[in-house]
Amino acid sequence: YFADFKDYSDAITASGAYDNTDSLYIARMQGIMTPVPLTYNREVRSAIERFCSPNYANTFSYAYYYFPMIEAEFIKAGIPIELRTLAFVESGLNPLARSKAGAAGIWQFMPETGRNYGLEINSLVDERCNPLLATRAAAKYLKSMYEQYGDWTLAIASYNCGPGNVNKAIIRAGGDPKKYTGSFWDVYAGLPRETRSYVPL
């Protein structure tokens, strides 16, 4: 899929038909076939430009190693492979990454969440640092959040701040979490600041 998109993207660039960066980015995003709704706005442009920085070149090289495994697990789980990029945002694809808050691994699971999704975490073993097992747990989490919200952008938001905060944002926006049909952008203002940046990334 990526090779096809790269050919499409290169053709867009070579055509010279786009007179500014925004129109070029929009055309490229329209070429991505995905069930994840892609919105283009100032926040998304900022995220694109951040990841176009040469500072990320080395980190992106890890994708050649980890993305095929993540894609295979996501296909088995029946969730969009595009969600693989969450591991990049979470940990820079570093399976030994640890946060000050206590999250660990390629998917940055907190201990309680990791255990809830089947990962063994004790004084001898921390399966959050096992890329394959952590990916399976992340797939279960994302799938369960999609089943709850019916929207991938809200599932992604939930991965960052938890369903409790997403539900609060829905209520602040005048919705009912049990039958909400909107998206992340509809509840954007009610979400934690970090999550407002996270989904565009």
Side-chain angles (χ1 to χ4, degrees):
Y1 297 119
F2 181 74
D4 291 342
F5 174 72
K6 185 172 183 327
D7 291 344
Y8 170 84
S9 181
D10 289 346
I12 287 172
T13 304
S15 74
Y18 300 92
D19 56 0
N20 62 54
T21 304
D22 288 325
S23 62
L24 182 61
Y25 287 160
I26 291 166
R28 287 179 174 168
M29 287 177 69
Q30 288 171 343
I32 300 172
M33 296 184 64
T34 174
V36 180
L38 299 177
T39 299
Y40 186 79
N41 55 34
R42 184 179 58 209
E43 289 83 5
V44 172
R45 178 184 171 138
S46 177
I48 291 169
E49 291 177 343
R50 174 179 171 180
F51 287 129
C52 287
S53 160
N55 299 336
Y56 287 96
N58 285 339
T59 308
F60 276 128
S61 68
Y62 299 136
Y64 291 103
Y65 184 75
Y66 288 111
F67 277 6
M69 177 271 295
I70 294 170
E71 289 169 11
E73 292 303 318
F74 281 11
I75 289 167
K76 284 181 200 170
I79 65 173
I81 61 171
E82 293 79 13
L83 298 178
R84 66 190 175 194
T85 56
L86 290 179
F88 182 86
V89 175
E90 286 288 336
S91 67
L93 297 172
N94 178 359
L96 302 178
R98 292 193 179 271
S99 75
K100 291 178 184 175
I106 195 170
W107 291 96
Q108 289 292 283
F109 276 109
M110 294 296 285
E112 183 180 351
T113 309
R115 288 188 187 101
N116 289 343
Y117 285 88
L119 298 177
E120 185 176 353
I121 303 162
N122 56 46
S123 59
L124 298 174
V125 175
D126 190 344
E127 290 183 342
R128 295 176 298 168
C129 298
N130 179 314
L132 178 61
L133 297 179
T135 295
R136 288 176 180 164
K140 286 180 195 171
Y141 183 97
L142 290 163
K143 190 168 189 174
S144 70
M145 290 301 105
Y146 179 74
E147 288 167 355
Q148 180 172 334
Y149 296 113
D151 178 84
W152 285 114
T153 60
L154 290 175
I156 294 167
S158 170
Y159 194 89
N160 180 255
C161 68
N165 284 313
V166 172
N167 290 344
K168 286 176 192 172
I170 290 171
I171 292 166
R172 286 186 195 115
D176 179 352
K178 292 182 180 175
K179 50 187 176 183
Y180 188 68
T181 58
S183 75
F184 163 79
W185 298 106
D186 300 316
V187 299
Y188 176 86
L191 289 163
R193 184 184 302 251
E194 180 185 335
T195 307
R196 282 181 273 167
S197 301
Y198 182 83
V199 175
L201 290 172

